[in-house]
Amino acid sequence: MDSGIDWHWARAALDWQLELGADEAIGEAPVDRFALEAAEQAARARPVEPRPERGATPAPMAEPAGPDPVLVAREMARGAGSLEALRAAMEAFDFCELKRGARNLVFGDGVPGARVMIVGEAPGREEDLQGKPFVGPAGQLLDRMLAAIGLDRASSVYITNVLPWRPPQNREPQPDEIAMMKPFLSRHIALADPDLLVVMGNISCDALLGRRGITKLRGNWAEAEGRPVLPMFHPAYLLRQPAAKRQAWADLLELQARLKALG
Ligand code: URA
């Protein structure tokens, strides 16, 4: 190789990254972090502007920071009169960094207008690839759970997530990301207009109920967006902790009973 890096060296470096869990590119173009660091160091080393003399004319005020992403999201969500318009508004929303690393916007799946709307956390790898929520291993378990009480996404359930873009390496969604996408979630719920919501996992409870602690919250009806809300364990958690399926089953029966009671 001309570059001075031989094949074996490059291969070992790649294996090392894989071992660290960096098994996927998250951007279209490579980023030279060493160059970024050098640029930051150079910026830090630049002399600081001297303070103005006492009595001197003050320097003009710094440009105000850009618009507040939450307010922009609220405006865009409010203006969406249909689910298609809401999807388009989310596609056009440029303030969430996650969008840059994601392959697809994951909007929703199932039957809009169904009596049950499930709110998950954020897309994983499979969802990002297919552009649909809950299609990976956790989604397959979710489908089996719903089938156990006679529900399915082809006829009786609508599904979405708090965040429509996959966080890199499936990291935990950040509070600012949840806050800026919440107006879209609220509008999504209003437009899909379910009788009740099922929120799966801590992130969804946080977004809609303002609380975490799924072990205590699960199985207890709450209210959000003007509708009854049932918190449940996330299916990904159930895959890791099969013993918790017993409580998930109790929650599914509770959901079934509530649907019957609503008529
Ligand atoms: N986990 C979620 O919360 N949502 C998905 O769509 C997939 C996995």
mmCIF file of all heavy atoms in Angstrom, residues 190-242:
data_model
loop_
_atom_site.group_PDB
_atom_site.id
_atom_site.type_symbol
_atom_site.label_atom_id
_atom_site.label_comp_id
_atom_site.label_asym_id
_atom_site.label_seq_id
_atom_site.Cartn_x
_atom_site.Cartn_y
_atom_site.Cartn_z
ATOM 1 N N ALA A 190 -53.032 12.469 18.938
ATOM 2 C CA ALA A 190 -54.307 13.149 18.660
ATOM 3 C C ALA A 190 -54.864 12.727 17.297
ATOM 4 O O ALA A 190 -56.061 12.482 17.153
ATOM 5 C CB ALA A 190 -54.104 14.659 18.710
ATOM 6 N N LEU A 191 -53.985 12.617 16.302
ATOM 7 C CA LEU A 191 -54.456 12.268 14.952
ATOM 8 C C LEU A 191 -54.852 10.797 14.848
ATOM 9 O O LEU A 191 -55.802 10.451 14.148
ATOM 10 C CB LEU A 191 -53.366 12.594 13.912
ATOM 11 C CG LEU A 191 -53.101 14.085 13.683
ATOM 12 C CD1 LEU A 191 -51.810 14.293 12.887
ATOM 13 C CD2 LEU A 191 -54.274 14.747 12.957
ATOM 14 N N ALA A 192 -54.124 9.916 15.526
ATOM 15 C CA ALA A 192 -54.468 8.482 15.473
ATOM 16 C C ALA A 192 -55.697 8.199 16.348
ATOM 17 O O ALA A 192 -56.428 7.248 16.116
ATOM 18 C CB ALA A 192 -53.273 7.641 15.933
ATOM 19 N N ASP A 193 -55.899 9.027 17.357
ATOM 20 C CA ASP A 193 -57.095 9.031 18.200
ATOM 21 C C ASP A 193 -57.493 7.650 18.776
ATOM 22 O O ASP A 193 -58.613 7.180 18.551
ATOM 23 C CB ASP A 193 -58.260 9.620 17.372
ATOM 24 C CG ASP A 193 -59.421 10.007 18.269
ATOM 25 O OD1 ASP A 193 -59.198 10.200 19.489
ATOM 26 O OD2 ASP A 193 -60.551 10.073 17.775
ATOM 27 N N PRO A 194 -56.579 7.006 19.495
ATOM 28 C CA PRO A 194 -56.934 5.700 20.098
ATOM 29 C C PRO A 194 -57.799 5.883 21.350
ATOM 30 O O PRO A 194 -57.837 6.979 21.916
ATOM 31 C CB PRO A 194 -55.559 5.151 20.508
ATOM 32 C CG PRO A 194 -54.761 6.381 20.818
ATOM 33 C CD PRO A 194 -55.223 7.448 19.872
ATOM 34 N N ASP A 195 -58.459 4.790 21.784
ATOM 35 C CA ASP A 195 -59.207 4.832 23.059
ATOM 36 C C ASP A 195 -58.222 4.830 24.228
ATOM 37 O O ASP A 195 -58.495 5.410 25.267
ATOM 38 C CB ASP A 195 -60.108 3.597 23.196
ATOM 39 C CG ASP A 195 -61.301 3.683 22.262
ATOM 40 O OD1 ASP A 195 -61.521 4.770 21.684
ATOM 41 O OD2 ASP A 195 -62.003 2.666 22.098
ATOM 42 N N LEU A 196 -57.137 4.110 24.054
ATOM 43 C CA LEU A 196 -56.152 4.060 25.150
ATOM 44 C C LEU A 196 -54.746 3.831 24.623
ATOM 45 O O LEU A 196 -54.545 3.392 23.488
ATOM 46 C CB LEU A 196 -56.540 3.000 26.180
ATOM 47 C CG LEU A 196 -56.862 1.592 25.693
ATOM 48 C CD1 LEU A 196 -55.604 0.786 25.565
ATOM 49 C CD2 LEU A 196 -57.826 0.940 26.680
ATOM 50 N N LEU A 197 -53.797 4.144 25.484
ATOM 51 C CA LEU A 197 -52.377 4.039 25.123
ATOM 52 C C LEU A 197 -51.695 2.971 25.971
ATOM 53 O O LEU A 197 -52.004 2.847 27.166
ATOM 54 C CB LEU A 197 -51.663 5.367 25.401
ATOM 55 C CG LEU A 197 -52.107 6.572 24.578
ATOM 56 C CD1 LEU A 197 -51.656 7.869 25.256
ATOM 57 C CD2 LEU A 197 -51.514 6.496 23.180
ATOM 58 N N VAL A 198 -50.782 2.245 25.358
ATOM 59 C CA VAL A 198 -49.895 1.358 26.115
ATOM 60 C C VAL A 198 -48.493 1.911 25.943
ATOM 61 O O VAL A 198 -48.026 2.055 24.805
ATOM 62 C CB VAL A 198 -49.964 -0.096 25.591
ATOM 63 C CG1 VAL A 198 -48.960 -0.978 26.314
ATOM 64 C CG2 VAL A 198 -51.374 -0.651 25.740
ATOM 65 N N VAL A 199 -47.841 2.257 27.048
ATOM 66 C CA VAL A 199 -46.489 2.812 26.940
ATOM 67 C C VAL A 199 -45.494 1.764 27.432
ATOM 68 O O VAL A 199 -45.633 1.227 28.519
ATOM 69 C CB VAL A 199 -46.331 4.153 27.708
ATOM 70 C CG1 VAL A 199 -47.168 5.226 27.056
ATOM 71 C CG2 VAL A 199 -46.693 4.041 29.164
ATOM 72 N N MET A 200 -44.522 1.475 26.564
ATOM 73 C CA MET A 200 -43.611 0.373 26.874
ATOM 74 C C MET A 200 -42.235 0.882 27.263
ATOM 75 O O MET A 200 -41.534 1.499 26.453
ATOM 76 C CB MET A 200 -43.533 -0.570 25.684
ATOM 77 C CG MET A 200 -44.919 -1.076 25.306
ATOM 78 S SD MET A 200 -44.910 -2.544 24.300
ATOM 79 C CE MET A 200 -45.723 -3.706 25.380
ATOM 80 N N GLY A 201 -41.868 0.662 28.508
ATOM 81 C CA GLY A 201 -40.525 1.007 28.975
ATOM 82 C C GLY A 201 -40.436 2.397 29.579
ATOM 83 O O GLY A 201 -41.370 3.201 29.509
ATOM 84 N N ASN A 202 -39.282 2.663 30.164
ATOM 85 C CA ASN A 202 -39.067 3.901 30.924
ATOM 86 C C ASN A 202 -39.092 5.170 30.080
ATOM 87 O O ASN A 202 -39.591 6.197 30.516
ATOM 88 C CB ASN A 202 -37.719 3.823 31.648
ATOM 89 C CG ASN A 202 -37.899 3.295 33.047
ATOM 90 O OD1 ASN A 202 -38.888 3.594 33.709
ATOM 91 N ND2 ASN A 202 -36.949 2.488 33.498
ATOM 92 N N ILE A 203 -38.509 5.098 28.881
ATOM 93 C CA ILE A 203 -38.427 6.314 28.050
ATOM 94 C C ILE A 203 -39.836 6.781 27.677
ATOM 95 O O ILE A 203 -40.149 7.979 27.726
ATOM 96 C CB ILE A 203 -37.600 6.032 26.771
ATOM 97 C CG1 ILE A 203 -36.179 5.590 27.131
ATOM 98 C CG2 ILE A 203 -37.596 7.231 25.836
ATOM 99 C CD1 ILE A 203 -35.357 6.623 27.837
ATOM 100 N N SER A 204 -40.697 5.826 27.338
ATOM 101 C CA SER A 204 -42.068 6.185 26.955
ATOM 102 C C SER A 204 -42.833 6.711 28.157
ATOM 103 O O SER A 204 -43.628 7.646 28.034
ATOM 104 C CB SER A 204 -42.783 4.972 26.368
ATOM 105 O OG SER A 204 -41.892 4.218 25.606
ATOM 106 N N CYS A 205 -42.600 6.126 29.332
ATOM 107 C CA CYS A 205 -43.256 6.628 30.547
ATOM 108 C C CYS A 205 -42.776 8.046 30.835
ATOM 109 O O CYS A 205 -43.560 8.926 31.189
ATOM 110 C CB CYS A 205 -42.932 5.738 31.751
ATOM 111 S SG CYS A 205 -43.810 4.182 31.692
ATOM 112 N N ASP A 206 -41.488 8.253 30.672
ATOM 113 C CA ASP A 206 -40.911 9.572 30.903
ATOM 114 C C ASP A 206 -41.560 10.597 29.964
ATOM 115 O O ASP A 206 -42.011 11.669 30.381
ATOM 116 C CB ASP A 206 -39.397 9.475 30.656
ATOM 117 C CG ASP A 206 -38.667 10.705 31.157
ATOM 118 O OD1 ASP A 206 -39.345 11.643 31.583
ATOM 119 O OD2 ASP A 206 -37.433 10.717 31.115
ATOM 120 N N ALA A 207 -41.624 10.238 28.670
ATOM 121 C CA ALA A 207 -42.152 11.189 27.673
ATOM 122 C C ALA A 207 -43.619 11.515 27.939
ATOM 123 O O ALA A 207 -44.028 12.666 27.816
ATOM 124 C CB ALA A 207 -41.977 10.618 26.269
ATOM 125 N N LEU A 208 -44.418 10.504 28.290
ATOM 126 C CA LEU A 208 -45.865 10.758 28.368
ATOM 127 C C LEU A 208 -46.376 10.986 29.786
ATOM 128 O O LEU A 208 -47.367 11.675 29.974
ATOM 129 C CB LEU A 208 -46.626 9.613 27.696
ATOM 130 C CG LEU A 208 -46.567 9.694 26.170
ATOM 131 C CD1 LEU A 208 -47.089 8.432 25.520
ATOM 132 C CD2 LEU A 208 -47.342 10.902 25.656
ATOM 133 N N LEU A 209 -45.727 10.379 30.765
ATOM 134 C CA LEU A 209 -46.219 10.533 32.143
ATOM 135 C C LEU A 209 -45.306 11.429 32.973
ATOM 136 O O LEU A 209 -45.630 11.770 34.113
ATOM 137 C CB LEU A 209 -46.327 9.164 32.832
ATOM 138 C CG LEU A 209 -47.213 8.127 32.115
ATOM 139 C CD1 LEU A 209 -47.151 6.781 32.817
ATOM 140 C CD2 LEU A 209 -48.655 8.623 32.056
ATOM 141 N N GLY A 210 -44.123 11.725 32.413
ATOM 142 C CA GLY A 210 -43.166 12.549 33.150
ATOM 143 C C GLY A 210 -42.538 11.799 34.310
ATOM 144 O O GLY A 210 -42.043 12.415 35.252
ATOM 145 N N ARG A 211 -42.588 10.463 34.261
ATOM 146 C CA ARG A 211 -42.027 9.663 35.362
ATOM 147 C C ARG A 211 -41.317 8.442 34.807
ATOM 148 O O ARG A 211 -41.721 7.904 33.768
ATOM 149 C CB ARG A 211 -43.164 9.143 36.257
ATOM 150 C CG ARG A 211 -43.553 10.102 37.353
ATOM 151 C CD ARG A 211 -44.740 9.556 38.111
ATOM 152 N NE ARG A 211 -45.927 9.551 37.279
ATOM 153 C CZ ARG A 211 -47.011 8.820 37.519
ATOM 154 N NH1 ARG A 211 -47.057 8.004 38.547
ATOM 155 N NH2 ARG A 211 -48.063 8.883 36.719
ATOM 156 N N ARG A 212 -40.286 8.002 35.521
ATOM 157 C CA ARG A 212 -39.646 6.711 35.209
ATOM 158 C C ARG A 212 -39.898 5.775 36.376
ATOM 159 O O ARG A 212 -40.493 6.168 37.359
ATOM 160 C CB ARG A 212 -38.153 6.895 35.000
ATOM 161 C CG ARG A 212 -37.851 7.742 33.784
ATOM 162 C CD ARG A 212 -36.416 7.627 33.339
ATOM 163 N NE ARG A 212 -36.182 8.494 32.200
ATOM 164 C CZ ARG A 212 -35.229 8.317 31.317
ATOM 165 N NH1 ARG A 212 -34.389 7.315 31.433
ATOM 166 N NH2 ARG A 212 -35.078 9.146 30.311
ATOM 167 N N GLY A 213 -39.414 4.551 36.254
ATOM 168 C CA GLY A 213 -39.605 3.559 37.321
ATOM 169 C C GLY A 213 -40.654 2.551 36.885
ATOM 170 O O GLY A 213 -41.682 2.379 37.531
ATOM 171 N N ILE A 214 -40.370 1.902 35.754
ATOM 172 C CA ILE A 214 -41.361 1.020 35.134
ATOM 173 C C ILE A 214 -41.779 -0.132 36.060
ATOM 174 O O ILE A 214 -42.923 -0.596 35.994
ATOM 175 C CB ILE A 214 -40.826 0.497 33.759
ATOM 176 C CG1 ILE A 214 -41.907 -0.224 32.962
ATOM 177 C CG2 ILE A 214 -39.604 -0.377 33.934
ATOM 178 C CD1 ILE A 214 -43.031 0.663 32.499
ATOM 179 N N THR A 215 -40.882 -0.562 36.928
ATOM 180 C CA THR A 215 -41.226 -1.693 37.807
ATOM 181 C C THR A 215 -42.405 -1.326 38.712
ATOM 182 O O THR A 215 -43.260 -2.158 38.982
ATOM 183 C CB THR A 215 -39.989 -2.078 38.654
ATOM 184 O OG1 THR A 215 -38.893 -2.192 37.758
ATOM 185 C CG2 THR A 215 -40.184 -3.388 39.370
ATOM 186 N N LYS A 216 -42.445 -0.068 39.134
ATOM 187 C CA LYS A 216 -43.577 0.386 39.968
ATOM 188 C C LYS A 216 -44.769 0.818 39.110
ATOM 189 O O LYS A 216 -45.922 0.636 39.489
ATOM 190 C CB LYS A 216 -43.135 1.594 40.812
ATOM 191 C CG LYS A 216 -42.206 1.255 41.943
ATOM 192 C CD LYS A 216 -42.733 1.869 43.240
ATOM 193 C CE LYS A 216 -41.941 1.388 44.429
ATOM 194 N NZ LYS A 216 -40.771 2.248 44.680
ATOM 195 N N LEU A 217 -44.466 1.428 37.959
ATOM 196 C CA LEU A 217 -45.551 2.008 37.148
ATOM 197 C C LEU A 217 -46.367 0.940 36.418
ATOM 198 O O LEU A 217 -47.571 1.116 36.210
ATOM 199 C CB LEU A 217 -44.967 2.976 36.103
ATOM 200 C CG LEU A 217 -44.324 4.259 36.635
ATOM 201 C CD1 LEU A 217 -43.627 5.012 35.505
ATOM 202 C CD2 LEU A 217 -45.387 5.158 37.261
ATOM 203 N N ARG A 218 -45.721 -0.152 36.033
ATOM 204 C CA ARG A 218 -46.374 -1.121 35.149
ATOM 205 C C ARG A 218 -47.657 -1.682 35.794
ATOM 206 O O ARG A 218 -47.720 -1.872 37.001
ATOM 207 C CB ARG A 218 -45.419 -2.266 34.781
ATOM 208 C CG ARG A 218 -44.878 -3.080 35.936
ATOM 209 C CD ARG A 218 -44.789 -4.551 35.595
ATOM 210 N NE ARG A 218 -46.070 -5.189 35.622
ATOM 211 C CZ ARG A 218 -46.639 -5.666 36.723
ATOM 212 N NH1 ARG A 218 -46.053 -5.558 37.903
ATOM 213 N NH2 ARG A 218 -47.821 -6.245 36.663
ATOM 214 N N GLY A 219 -48.612 -1.875 34.922
ATOM 215 C CA GLY A 219 -49.856 -2.480 35.388
ATOM 216 C C GLY A 219 -50.799 -1.511 36.071
ATOM 217 O O GLY A 219 -51.922 -1.894 36.409
ATOM 218 N N ASN A 220 -50.377 -0.256 36.273
ATOM 219 C CA ASN A 220 -51.250 0.726 36.944
ATOM 220 C C ASN A 220 -51.704 1.770 35.933
ATOM 221 O O ASN A 220 -50.868 2.458 35.344
ATOM 222 C CB ASN A 220 -50.497 1.411 38.081
ATOM 223 C CG ASN A 220 -50.124 0.420 39.160
ATOM 224 O OD1 ASN A 220 -50.987 -0.258 39.720
ATOM 225 N ND2 ASN A 220 -48.833 0.291 39.413
ATOM 226 N N TRP A 221 -52.998 1.894 35.764
ATOM 227 C CA TRP A 221 -53.517 2.856 34.782
ATOM 228 C C TRP A 221 -53.180 4.277 35.205
ATOM 229 O O TRP A 221 -53.275 4.621 36.377
ATOM 230 C CB TRP A 221 -55.031 2.701 34.634
ATOM 231 C CG TRP A 221 -55.394 1.453 33.877
ATOM 232 C CD1 TRP A 221 -55.746 0.259 34.414
ATOM 233 C CD2 TRP A 221 -55.405 1.285 32.455
ATOM 234 N NE1 TRP A 221 -55.975 -0.659 33.418
ATOM 235 C CE2 TRP A 221 -55.777 -0.049 32.198
ATOM 236 C CE3 TRP A 221 -55.121 2.115 31.373
ATOM 237 C CZ2 TRP A 221 -55.884 -0.568 30.909
ATOM 238 C CZ3 TRP A 221 -55.224 1.600 30.087
ATOM 239 C CH2 TRP A 221 -55.608 0.270 29.864
ATOM 240 N N ALA A 222 -52.771 5.045 34.221
ATOM 241 C CA ALA A 222 -52.501 6.468 34.451
ATOM 242 C C ALA A 222 -53.244 7.229 33.352
ATOM 243 O O ALA A 222 -54.064 6.624 32.632
ATOM 244 C CB ALA A 222 -51.000 6.722 34.388
ATOM 245 N N GLU A 223 -52.969 8.516 33.230
ATOM 246 C CA GLU A 223 -53.614 9.271 32.150
ATOM 247 C C GLU A 223 -52.626 10.211 31.488
ATOM 248 O O GLU A 223 -51.772 10.797 32.173
ATOM 249 C CB GLU A 223 -54.778 10.083 32.716
ATOM 250 C CG GLU A 223 -55.838 10.306 31.653
ATOM 251 C CD GLU A 223 -56.880 11.325 32.069
ATOM 252 O OE1 GLU A 223 -57.671 10.989 32.972
ATOM 253 O OE2 GLU A 223 -56.868 12.424 31.487
ATOM 254 N N ALA A 224 -52.690 10.305 30.180
ATOM 255 C CA ALA A 224 -51.855 11.273 29.437
ATOM 256 C C ALA A 224 -52.560 11.584 28.133
ATOM 257 O O ALA A 224 -53.298 10.737 27.598
ATOM 258 C CB ALA A 224 -50.474 10.686 29.154
ATOM 259 N N GLU A 225 -52.353 12.793 27.636
ATOM 260 C CA GLU A 225 -52.968 13.217 26.371
ATOM 261 C C GLU A 225 -54.480 12.994 26.399
ATOM 262 O O GLU A 225 -55.090 12.657 25.372
ATOM 263 C CB GLU A 225 -52.333 12.450 25.181
ATOM 264 C CG GLU A 225 -50.820 12.505 25.112
ATOM 265 C CD GLU A 225 -50.271 13.889 24.749
ATOM 266 O OE1 GLU A 225 -50.955 14.613 24.019
ATOM 267 O OE2 GLU A 225 -49.177 14.233 25.234
ATOM 268 N N GLY A 226 -55.070 13.083 27.598
ATOM 269 C CA GLY A 226 -56.525 12.936 27.730
ATOM 270 C C GLY A 226 -57.023 11.513 27.565
ATOM 271 O O GLY A 226 -58.215 11.297 27.326
ATOM 272 N N ARG A 227 -56.137 10.526 27.707
ATOM 273 C CA ARG A 227 -56.542 9.130 27.508
ATOM 274 C C ARG A 227 -55.953 8.239 28.588
ATOM 275 O O ARG A 227 -54.890 8.552 29.146
ATOM 276 C CB ARG A 227 -56.021 8.585 26.158
ATOM 277 C CG ARG A 227 -56.592 9.295 24.978
ATOM 278 C CD ARG A 227 -55.654 9.217 23.783
ATOM 279 N NE ARG A 227 -55.803 10.463 23.029
ATOM 280 C CZ ARG A 227 -56.660 10.635 22.043
ATOM 281 N NH1 ARG A 227 -57.398 9.638 21.609
ATOM 282 N NH2 ARG A 227 -56.753 11.803 21.433
ATOM 283 N N PRO A 228 -56.616 7.078 28.845
ATOM 284 C CA PRO A 228 -56.026 6.129 29.790
ATOM 285 C C PRO A 228 -54.715 5.568 29.223
ATOM 286 O O PRO A 228 -54.614 5.325 28.019
ATOM 287 C CB PRO A 228 -57.066 5.006 29.898
ATOM 288 C CG PRO A 228 -58.299 5.511 29.240
ATOM 289 C CD PRO A 228 -57.893 6.602 28.293
ATOM 290 N N VAL A 229 -53.763 5.383 30.118
ATOM 291 C CA VAL A 229 -52.431 4.891 29.710
ATOM 292 C C VAL A 229 -52.049 3.703 30.582
ATOM 293 O O VAL A 229 -52.099 3.797 31.815
ATOM 294 C CB VAL A 229 -51.360 5.983 29.927
ATOM 295 C CG1 VAL A 229 -49.968 5.451 29.596
ATOM 296 C CG2 VAL A 229 -51.655 7.214 29.092
ATOM 297 N N LEU A 230 -51.656 2.616 29.950
ATOM 298 C CA LEU A 230 -51.169 1.464 30.711
ATOM 299 C C LEU A 230 -49.660 1.298 30.478
ATOM 300 O O LEU A 230 -49.242 0.956 29.369
ATOM 301 C CB LEU A 230 -51.895 0.180 30.273
ATOM 302 C CG LEU A 230 -51.499 -1.073 31.066
ATOM 303 C CD1 LEU A 230 -51.903 -0.957 32.538
ATOM 304 C CD2 LEU A 230 -52.132 -2.325 30.456
ATOM 305 N N PRO A 231 -48.840 1.538 31.502
ATOM 306 C CA PRO A 231 -47.402 1.266 31.348
ATOM 307 C C PRO A 231 -47.130 -0.239 31.432
ATOM 308 O O PRO A 231 -47.741 -0.938 32.246
ATOM 309 C CB PRO A 231 -46.765 1.994 32.547
ATOM 310 C CG PRO A 231 -47.827 2.901 33.090
ATOM 311 C CD PRO A 231 -49.128 2.226 32.776
ATOM 312 N N MET A 232 -46.240 -0.696 30.574
ATOM 313 C CA MET A 232 -45.847 -2.120 30.594
ATOM 314 C C MET A 232 -44.327 -2.241 30.437
ATOM 315 O O MET A 232 -43.683 -1.326 29.921
ATOM 316 C CB MET A 232 -46.502 -2.868 29.424
ATOM 317 C CG MET A 232 -47.969 -3.160 29.633
ATOM 318 S SD MET A 232 -48.631 -4.219 28.305
ATOM 319 C CE MET A 232 -47.671 -5.716 28.488
ATOM 320 N N PHE A 233 -43.820 -3.403 30.822
ATOM 321 C CA PHE A 233 -42.406 -3.660 30.538
ATOM 322 C C PHE A 233 -42.189 -3.626 29.036
ATOM 323 O O PHE A 233 -43.044 -4.054 28.257
ATOM 324 C CB PHE A 233 -42.000 -5.048 31.038
ATOM 325 C CG PHE A 233 -41.771 -5.129 32.520
ATOM 326 C CD1 PHE A 233 -42.274 -6.191 33.258
ATOM 327 C CD2 PHE A 233 -41.026 -4.157 33.179
ATOM 328 C CE1 PHE A 233 -42.044 -6.280 34.622
ATOM 329 C CE2 PHE A 233 -40.792 -4.235 34.542
ATOM 330 C CZ PHE A 233 -41.306 -5.300 35.263
ATOM 331 N N HIS A 234 -41.008 -3.155 28.636
ATOM 332 C CA HIS A 234 -40.650 -3.152 27.221
ATOM 333 C C HIS A 234 -40.310 -4.590 26.801
ATOM 334 O O HIS A 234 -39.655 -5.313 27.549
ATOM 335 C CB HIS A 234 -39.423 -2.245 27.023
ATOM 336 C CG HIS A 234 -39.177 -1.922 25.596
ATOM 337 N ND1 HIS A 234 -38.647 -2.831 24.711
ATOM 338 C CD2 HIS A 234 -39.404 -0.788 24.880
ATOM 339 C CE1 HIS A 234 -38.552 -2.264 23.518
ATOM 340 N NE2 HIS A 234 -39.006 -1.023 23.593
ATOM 341 N N PRO A 235 -40.759 -5.011 25.607
ATOM 342 C CA PRO A 235 -40.445 -6.393 25.180
ATOM 343 C C PRO A 235 -38.938 -6.684 25.148
ATOM 344 O O PRO A 235 -38.535 -7.836 25.364
ATOM 345 C CB PRO A 235 -41.050 -6.511 23.788
ATOM 346 C CG PRO A 235 -41.829 -5.287 23.535
ATOM 347 C CD PRO A 235 -41.641 -4.317 24.662
ATOM 348 N N ALA A 236 -38.107 -5.666 24.869
ATOM 349 C CA ALA A 236 -36.654 -5.919 24.871
ATOM 350 C C ALA A 236 -36.205 -6.317 26.285
ATOM 351 O O ALA A 236 -35.317 -7.163 26.454
ATOM 352 C CB ALA A 236 -35.897 -4.682 24.399
ATOM 353 N N TYR A 237 -36.829 -5.718 27.286
ATOM 354 C CA TYR A 237 -36.513 -6.090 28.681
ATOM 355 C C TYR A 237 -36.975 -7.520 28.942
ATOM 356 O O TYR A 237 -36.271 -8.307 29.593
ATOM 357 C CB TYR A 237 -37.203 -5.097 29.629
ATOM 358 C CG TYR A 237 -37.074 -5.452 31.087
ATOM 359 C CD1 TYR A 237 -35.885 -5.221 31.776
ATOM 360 C CD2 TYR A 237 -38.145 -6.019 31.774
ATOM 361 C CE1 TYR A 237 -35.771 -5.553 33.116
ATOM 362 C CE2 TYR A 237 -38.041 -6.356 33.109
ATOM 363 C CZ TYR A 237 -36.851 -6.119 33.782
ATOM 364 O OH TYR A 237 -36.730 -6.452 35.106
ATOM 365 N N LEU A 238 -38.140 -7.863 28.404
ATOM 366 C CA LEU A 238 -38.662 -9.226 28.622
ATOM 367 C C LEU A 238 -37.761 -10.277 27.970
ATOM 368 O O LEU A 238 -37.652 -11.394 28.474
ATOM 369 C CB LEU A 238 -40.083 -9.345 28.079
ATOM 370 C CG LEU A 238 -41.112 -8.448 28.766
ATOM 371 C CD1 LEU A 238 -42.463 -8.527 28.053
ATOM 372 C CD2 LEU A 238 -41.270 -8.826 30.239
ATOM 373 N N LEU A 239 -37.118 -9.888 26.855
ATOM 374 C CA LEU A 239 -36.183 -10.835 26.222
ATOM 375 C C LEU A 239 -34.974 -11.082 27.124
ATOM 376 O O LEU A 239 -34.425 -12.172 27.164
ATOM 377 C CB LEU A 239 -35.717 -10.300 24.864
ATOM 378 C CG LEU A 239 -36.757 -10.319 23.738
ATOM 379 C CD1 LEU A 239 -36.211 -9.623 22.499
ATOM 380 C CD2 LEU A 239 -37.194 -11.741 23.400
ATOM 381 N N ARG A 240 -34.582 -10.035 27.861
ATOM 382 C CA ARG A 240 -33.420 -10.181 28.753
ATOM 383 C C ARG A 240 -33.811 -10.792 30.087
ATOM 384 O O ARG A 240 -32.998 -11.440 30.747
ATOM 385 C CB ARG A 240 -32.772 -8.806 29.016
ATOM 386 C CG ARG A 240 -32.153 -8.149 27.809
ATOM 387 C CD ARG A 240 -31.263 -6.965 28.220
ATOM 388 N NE ARG A 240 -31.980 -5.950 28.960
ATOM 389 C CZ ARG A 240 -32.670 -4.946 28.412
ATOM 390 N NH1 ARG A 240 -32.729 -4.833 27.092
ATOM 391 N NH2 ARG A 240 -33.300 -4.060 29.159
ATOM 392 N N GLN A 241 -35.042 -10.562 30.503
ATOM 393 C CA GLN A 241 -35.525 -11.017 31.818
ATOM 394 C C GLN A 241 -36.812 -11.819 31.639
ATOM 395 O O GLN A 241 -37.905 -11.308 31.950
ATOM 396 C CB GLN A 241 -35.824 -9.810 32.724
ATOM 397 C CG GLN A 241 -34.674 -8.876 32.957
ATOM 398 C CD GLN A 241 -33.640 -9.463 33.903
ATOM 399 O OE1 GLN A 241 -33.956 -10.362 34.681
ATOM 400 N NE2 GLN A 241 -32.419 -8.999 33.825
ATOM 401 N N PRO A 242 -36.714 -13.047 31.160
ATOM 402 C CA PRO A 242 -37.944 -13.796 30.856
ATOM 403 C C PRO A 242 -38.841 -13.980 32.083
ATOM 404 O O PRO A 242 -40.054 -14.116 31.942
ATOM 405 C CB PRO A 242 -37.426 -15.156 30.351
ATOM 406 C CG PRO A 242 -35.995 -14.953 30.037
ATOM 407 C CD PRO A 242 -35.493 -13.795 30.822
#
